[in-house]
Amino acid sequence: MAFTPRVFSGMQPTGNLHLGNYLGALTRWVEMQKTHDCLYCIVDMHAITLWQDPAELKAAIRSVTAAYLAAGLDPRRSIIFNQSQVAEHAELAWVFSCVARLGWLNRMTQFKEKAGKDREQASVGLYAYPILMAADILVYKATHVPVGDDQKQHLELTRDIAQKFNNDYADAIRAAGHAEAAFFPLCEPVIMGPATRVMSLRDGTKKMSKSDPSELSRINMTDDADTIARKIQKAKTDPEPLPSEHADLAGRPEADNLVGIFAALANSSKAQVLQEFGGSQFSKFKTALAELAVARLGPVNAEMSRLLADPGEIDRVLADGAARARLLAAPVMRQVKEIVGFLRP
Ligand code: ATP
Ligand code: MG
């Protein structure tokens, strides 16, 4: 069965957006809004799976919204909103909690990484995170989900939930008039773009994350030129000069990461970057990388500051987006209740 193509994606307001969010997701989102109907969410309900200071959370929601707009998302073309304003996300997540199996969630690597050693002390929300994510996507029957590489496993779970819901409730779904018992689409991950997995500047085997305690591990979209240059100068490397061949980056995760970032920022390829910098010492390469990063992020950063000077306008964008999102989510949730067998007046 054919579903209307629709794009959904989101970011957590857990801190400042970084280069990984920008290259891995945002630049792709801007492209997709040219060809698709898109919803871009600030997933504040996901954020509180780890402790967030309330005042800081509010500020982070506005800051992520400003980053979306500054990066080129157009609130007239796409629906931009914060998750908690649309109650259907949480409502559908409960139904999905009863569809998903414990065994499925037990395999999720993000939970293992974020919960760390003291799993007993992790919030239940952190464990159930992928279920809410499935609801975020499916409450709009979204078909395409542009994300970074780290979200692949969660999207597979989303497909499993959609499939199991369609199977478990097949008769009720048909009775409600849906041919082939396909109520929810099996959404496709869109994991493409210049850099689907940007790594930490301190450890080339860990992904760059908002929630990494080390500020030196990431370049934030709000960092000024000096900060960007300092973080790149301090980025971990190895003692060898850069190789000339792409294949020789194997086993050198930090070098590979910096070359990948350069290529993504320059809209070129790692091979092209190595043609220019092969044989160079890191000091020379890092200076060029810092200049490039400042040139790319500087204008976005300036636009973010301009937008953040008027928080009222940001709140209006979110309220308008939420109202439009609710118009899409409400009928889907009404049908879900009918299918599941909840009695309504
Ligand atoms: P947190 O540490 O709080 O989980 P995060 O940095 O992982 O923050 P998210 O809000 O969880 O950011 O993810 C937003 C989007 O950015 C997702 O599509 C995710 O796949 C993508 N993303 C996150 N980190 C990276 C990265 N290092 N490289 C590429 N894409 C990334
Ligand atoms: Mg994350």
Side-chain angles (χ1 to χ4, degrees):
M1 170 173 161
F3 286 87
T4 314
R6 184 175 282 153
V7 169
F8 178 93
S9 201
M11 299 205 191
Q12 300 189 73
T14 39
N16 286 312
L17 295 193
H18 51 73
L19 202 56
N21 301 133
Y22 182 68
L23 296 172
L26 257 183
T27 54
R28 186 107 288 263
W29 296 7
V30 174
E31 282 305 306
M32 290 194 89
Q33 76 174 350
K34 295 178 186 158
T35 49
H36 288 76
D37 287 335
C38 302
L39 295 111
Y40 293 123
C41 193
I42 294 95
V43 289
D44 45 11
M45 287 157 61
H46 283 279
I48 62 165
T49 56
L50 297 174
W51 168 252
Q52 304 298 325
D53 173 81
E56 283 172 21
L57 180 59
K58 276 209 176 80
I61 294 168
R62 292 197 178 107
S63 166
V64 171
T65 310
Y68 283 11
L69 300 175
L73 294 185
D74 177 353
R76 281 160 306 180
R77 193 184 280 231
S78 300
I79 296 180
I80 297 173
F81 69 108
N82 57 316
Q83 185 185 26
S84 61
Q85 290 205 59
V86 183
E88 283 82 357
H89 290 240
E91 244 184 323
L92 184 57
W94 177 258
V95 175
F96 284 172
S97 295
C98 303
V99 172
R101 306 288 94 181
L102 279 178
W104 300 359
L105 286 182
N106 286 339
R107 289 198 288 272
M108 297 296 115
T109 54
Q110 177 175 290
F111 174 75
K112 291 175 195 163
E113 278 158 21
K114 290 201 171 180
K117 289 198 182 69
D118 199 1
R119 215 171 276 186
E120 297 286 307
Q121 283 305 313
S123 74
V124 176
L126 188 66
Y127 184 72
Y129 182 114
I131 295 178
L132 179 57
M133 179 165 158
D136 298 337
I137 295 164
L138 293 173
V139 83
Y140 303 104
K141 297 194 177 184
T143 54
H144 295 81
V145 188
V147 286
D149 178 73
D150 62 307
Q151 292 303 316
K152 201 171 167 187
Q153 196 183 32
H154 288 165
L155 285 174
E156 278 159 16
L157 188 89
T158 300
R159 291 166 63 97
D160 289 343
I161 289 175
Q163 184 75 67
K164 184 160 161 57
F165 182 94
N166 289 347
N167 289 347
D168 288 356
Y169 291 104
D171 292 342
I173 291 171
R174 271 194 215 93
H178 298 273
E180 296 169 44
F183 184 73
F184 286 120
L186 304 185
C187 59
E188 283 177 33
V190 183
I191 303 176
M192 299 188 235
T196 55
R197 191 172 183 84
V198 176
M199 308 309 277
S200 157
L201 298 182
R202 304 301 299 164
D203 176 351
T205 63
K206 253 172 59 184
K207 94 169 182 76
M208 189 178 280
S209 275
K210 283 188 244 97
S211 53
D212 190 315
S214 165
E215 269 297 320
L216 286 176
S217 70
R218 63 183 159 261
I219 293 172
N220 295 319
M221 287 175 68
T222 48
D223 284 344
D224 60 24
D226 288 348
T227 310
I228 292 176
R230 186 168 49 85
K231 286 179 176 176
I232 289 177
Q233 289 310 334
K234 292 203 165 171
K236 189 178 165 197
T237 49
D238 55 43
E240 303 296 318
L242 280 166
S244 302
E245 298 295 326
H246 186 179
D248 296 332
L249 286 172
R252 300 178 64 184
E254 284 83 15
D256 189 24
N257 187 39
L258 293 181
V259 171
I261 291 174
F262 195 108
L265 288 171
N267 297 319
S268 76
S269 66
K270 287 184 191 175
Q272 276 173 300
V273 175
L274 291 179
Q275 252 174 28
E276 189 180 344
F277 290 98
S280 295
Q281 297 298 328
F282 275 103
S283 53
K284 177 179 167 204
F285 176 69
K286 282 178 163 181
T287 306
L289 177 58
E291 267 171 32
L292 178 60
V294 169
R296 264 303 281 275
L297 292 179
V300 185
N301 187 340
E303 178 62 4
M304 270 183 79
S305 307
R306 193 188 69 76
L307 291 164
L308 284 169
D310 186 0
E313 180 53 27
I314 290 187
D315 295 0
R316 274 191 292 281
V317 166
L318 293 174
D320 172 66
R324 285 152 65 202
R326 279 194 293 268
L327 287 179
L328 296 171
V332 174
M333 197 58 219
R334 266 200 304 277
Q335 286 175 300
V336 167
K337 287 180 179 172
E338 179 62 37
I339 288 166
V340 169
F342 293 161
L343 195 60
R344 290 174 305 128

